[in-house]
PDB file of all heavy atoms in Angstrom:
ATOM      1  N   LYS A 496      38.251  73.453  30.749  1.00  0.00           N
ATOM      2  CA  LYS A 496      37.571  72.221  31.138  1.00  0.00           C
ATOM      3  C   LYS A 496      38.560  71.300  31.747  1.00  0.00           C
ATOM      4  O   LYS A 496      39.605  70.973  31.091  1.00  0.00           O
ATOM      5  CB  LYS A 496      36.863  71.532  29.905  1.00  0.00           C
ATOM      6  CG  LYS A 496      35.731  72.222  29.257  1.00  0.00           C
ATOM      7  CD  LYS A 496      35.129  71.425  28.188  1.00  0.00           C
ATOM      8  CE  LYS A 496      33.915  72.140  27.576  1.00  0.00           C
ATOM      9  NZ  LYS A 496      33.308  71.381  26.433  1.00  0.00           N
ATOM     10  N   TYR A 497      38.239  70.933  33.027  1.00  0.00           N
ATOM     11  CA  TYR A 497      39.124  70.035  33.770  1.00  0.00           C
ATOM     12  C   TYR A 497      38.362  68.698  33.886  1.00  0.00           C
ATOM     13  O   TYR A 497      37.299  68.595  34.611  1.00  0.00           O
ATOM     14  CB  TYR A 497      39.492  70.614  35.096  1.00  0.00           C
ATOM     15  CG  TYR A 497      40.222  71.937  34.922  1.00  0.00           C
ATOM     16  CD1 TYR A 497      39.616  73.126  35.064  1.00  0.00           C
ATOM     17  CD2 TYR A 497      41.604  71.927  34.685  1.00  0.00           C
ATOM     18  CE1 TYR A 497      40.241  74.300  34.855  1.00  0.00           C
ATOM     19  CE2 TYR A 497      42.284  73.141  34.614  1.00  0.00           C
ATOM     20  CZ  TYR A 497      41.656  74.335  34.719  1.00  0.00           C
ATOM     21  OH  TYR A 497      42.359  75.491  34.550  1.00  0.00           O
ATOM     22  N   TYR A 498      38.980  67.619  33.378  1.00  0.00           N
ATOM     23  CA  TYR A 498      38.239  66.302  33.308  1.00  0.00           C
ATOM     24  C   TYR A 498      38.726  65.537  34.562  1.00  0.00           C
ATOM     25  O   TYR A 498      39.581  64.669  34.552  1.00  0.00           O
ATOM     26  CB  TYR A 498      38.567  65.539  32.024  1.00  0.00           C
ATOM     27  CG  TYR A 498      37.983  66.235  30.804  1.00  0.00           C
ATOM     28  CD1 TYR A 498      38.778  67.127  30.087  1.00  0.00           C
ATOM     29  CD2 TYR A 498      36.714  66.017  30.433  1.00  0.00           C
ATOM     30  CE1 TYR A 498      38.141  67.768  29.008  1.00  0.00           C
ATOM     31  CE2 TYR A 498      36.158  66.621  29.325  1.00  0.00           C
ATOM     32  CZ  TYR A 498      36.847  67.537  28.606  1.00  0.00           C
ATOM     33  OH  TYR A 498      36.320  68.167  27.526  1.00  0.00           O
ATOM     34  N   ILE A 499      38.071  65.868  35.641  1.00  0.00           N
ATOM     35  CA  ILE A 499      38.507  65.375  36.999  1.00  0.00           C
ATOM     36  C   ILE A 499      38.356  63.828  37.076  1.00  0.00           C
ATOM     37  O   ILE A 499      39.180  63.190  37.658  1.00  0.00           O
ATOM     38  CB  ILE A 499      37.695  66.083  38.076  1.00  0.00           C
ATOM     39  CG1 ILE A 499      38.000  67.543  38.100  1.00  0.00           C
ATOM     40  CG2 ILE A 499      38.027  65.451  39.501  1.00  0.00           C
ATOM     41  CD1 ILE A 499      37.041  68.342  38.999  1.00  0.00           C
ATOM     42  N   PHE A 500      37.272  63.342  36.589  1.00  0.00           N
ATOM     43  CA  PHE A 500      36.940  61.920  36.648  1.00  0.00           C
ATOM     44  C   PHE A 500      37.304  61.086  35.413  1.00  0.00           C
ATOM     45  O   PHE A 500      36.845  59.976  35.211  1.00  0.00           O
ATOM     46  CB  PHE A 500      35.461  61.720  37.067  1.00  0.00           C
ATOM     47  CG  PHE A 500      35.153  62.233  38.333  1.00  0.00           C
ATOM     48  CD1 PHE A 500      34.171  63.295  38.494  1.00  0.00           C
ATOM     49  CD2 PHE A 500      35.635  61.778  39.538  1.00  0.00           C
ATOM     50  CE1 PHE A 500      33.790  63.868  39.726  1.00  0.00           C
ATOM     51  CE2 PHE A 500      35.326  62.307  40.716  1.00  0.00           C
ATOM     52  CZ  PHE A 500      34.428  63.351  40.812  1.00  0.00           C
ATOM     53  N   GLY A 501      38.026  61.683  34.419  1.00  0.00           N
ATOM     54  CA  GLY A 501      38.236  61.049  33.199  1.00  0.00           C
ATOM     55  C   GLY A 501      37.433  61.716  32.058  1.00  0.00           C
ATOM     56  O   GLY A 501      36.422  62.460  32.350  1.00  0.00           O
ATOM     57  N   GLN A 502      37.718  61.468  30.824  1.00  0.00           N
ATOM     58  CA  GLN A 502      37.027  62.065  29.698  1.00  0.00           C
ATOM     59  C   GLN A 502      36.296  61.211  28.868  1.00  0.00           C
ATOM     60  O   GLN A 502      36.755  60.133  28.398  1.00  0.00           O
ATOM     61  CB  GLN A 502      38.203  62.860  28.854  1.00  0.00           C
ATOM     62  CG  GLN A 502      37.497  63.716  27.802  1.00  0.00           C
ATOM     63  CD  GLN A 502      38.608  64.538  27.053  1.00  0.00           C
ATOM     64  OE1 GLN A 502      39.774  64.578  27.466  1.00  0.00           O
ATOM     65  NE2 GLN A 502      38.234  65.283  26.048  1.00  0.00           N
ATOM     66  N   GLU A 503      35.048  61.479  28.690  1.00  0.00           N
ATOM     67  CA  GLU A 503      34.080  60.768  27.717  1.00  0.00           C
ATOM     68  C   GLU A 503      33.991  59.279  27.969  1.00  0.00           C
ATOM     69  O   GLU A 503      33.719  58.524  27.144  1.00  0.00           O
ATOM     70  CB  GLU A 503      34.556  61.060  26.293  1.00  0.00           C
ATOM     71  CG  GLU A 503      34.477  62.456  25.908  1.00  0.00           C
ATOM     72  CD  GLU A 503      34.772  62.728  24.422  1.00  0.00           C
ATOM     73  OE1 GLU A 503      35.366  61.752  23.737  1.00  0.00           O
ATOM     74  OE2 GLU A 503      34.420  63.744  23.859  1.00  0.00           O
ATOM     75  N   GLY A 504      34.115  58.878  29.326  1.00  0.00           N
ATOM     76  CA  GLY A 504      33.987  57.479  29.592  1.00  0.00           C
ATOM     77  C   GLY A 504      32.567  56.883  29.408  1.00  0.00           C
ATOM     78  O   GLY A 504      32.411  55.918  28.756  1.00  0.00           O
ATOM     79  N   ALA A 505      31.602  57.706  29.735  1.00  0.00           N
ATOM     80  CA  ALA A 505      30.171  57.193  29.538  1.00  0.00           C
ATOM     81  C   ALA A 505      29.798  57.252  28.028  1.00  0.00           C
ATOM     82  O   ALA A 505      29.034  56.413  27.566  1.00  0.00           O
ATOM     83  CB  ALA A 505      29.183  58.083  30.313  1.00  0.00           C
ATOM     84  N   LYS A 506      30.369  58.242  27.318  1.00  0.00           N
ATOM     85  CA  LYS A 506      30.132  58.334  25.877  1.00  0.00           C
ATOM     86  C   LYS A 506      30.734  57.136  25.162  1.00  0.00           C
ATOM     87  O   LYS A 506      30.031  56.558  24.311  1.00  0.00           O
ATOM     88  CB  LYS A 506      30.763  59.648  25.395  1.00  0.00           C
ATOM     89  CG  LYS A 506      30.433  59.933  23.857  1.00  0.00           C
ATOM     90  CD  LYS A 506      31.031  61.188  23.345  1.00  0.00           C
ATOM     91  CE  LYS A 506      30.692  61.456  21.946  1.00  0.00           C
ATOM     92  NZ  LYS A 506      31.211  62.784  21.486  1.00  0.00           N
ATOM     93  N   ASN A 507      31.923  56.786  25.608  1.00  0.00           N
ATOM     94  CA  ASN A 507      32.516  55.587  24.901  1.00  0.00           C
ATOM     95  C   ASN A 507      31.782  54.344  25.328  1.00  0.00           C
ATOM     96  O   ASN A 507      31.672  53.379  24.510  1.00  0.00           O
ATOM     97  CB  ASN A 507      33.971  55.468  25.366  1.00  0.00           C
ATOM     98  CG  ASN A 507      34.868  56.571  24.816  1.00  0.00           C
ATOM     99  OD1 ASN A 507      34.554  57.143  23.797  1.00  0.00           O
ATOM    100  ND2 ASN A 507      35.861  56.978  25.547  1.00  0.00           N
ATOM    101  N   LEU A 508      31.292  54.217  26.653  1.00  0.00           N
ATOM    102  CA  LEU A 508      30.462  53.062  27.042  1.00  0.00           C
ATOM    103  C   LEU A 508      29.236  52.960  26.176  1.00  0.00           C
ATOM    104  O   LEU A 508      28.880  51.841  25.780  1.00  0.00           O
ATOM    105  CB  LEU A 508      30.181  53.157  28.503  1.00  0.00           C
ATOM    106  CG  LEU A 508      29.317  52.021  29.020  1.00  0.00           C
ATOM    107  CD1 LEU A 508      29.989  50.713  29.064  1.00  0.00           C
ATOM    108  CD2 LEU A 508      28.888  52.336  30.555  1.00  0.00           C
ATOM    109  N   ALA A 509      28.601  54.054  25.914  1.00  0.00           N
ATOM    110  CA  ALA A 509      27.368  54.021  25.122  1.00  0.00           C
ATOM    111  C   ALA A 509      27.655  53.455  23.711  1.00  0.00           C
ATOM    112  O   ALA A 509      26.860  52.689  23.200  1.00  0.00           O
ATOM    113  CB  ALA A 509      26.782  55.441  24.998  1.00  0.00           C
ATOM    114  N   GLU A 510      28.807  53.892  23.130  1.00  0.00           N
ATOM    115  CA  GLU A 510      29.110  53.370  21.853  1.00  0.00           C
ATOM    116  C   GLU A 510      29.445  51.847  21.891  1.00  0.00           C
ATOM    117  O   GLU A 510      29.041  51.154  21.019  1.00  0.00           O
ATOM    118  CB  GLU A 510      30.386  54.225  21.286  1.00  0.00           C
ATOM    119  CG  GLU A 510      30.058  55.636  20.931  1.00  0.00           C
ATOM    120  CD  GLU A 510      31.325  56.356  20.494  1.00  0.00           C
ATOM    121  OE1 GLU A 510      32.359  55.751  20.435  1.00  0.00           O
ATOM    122  OE2 GLU A 510      31.142  57.645  20.186  1.00  0.00           O
TER     123      GLU A 510
END
Side-chain angles (χ1 to χ4, degrees):
K496 291 183 179 180
Y497 299 95
Y498 295 93
I499 298 171
F500 297 117
Q502 187 171 354
E503 297 187 343
K506 184 177 182 180
N507 294 332
L508 177 64
E510 291 177 1

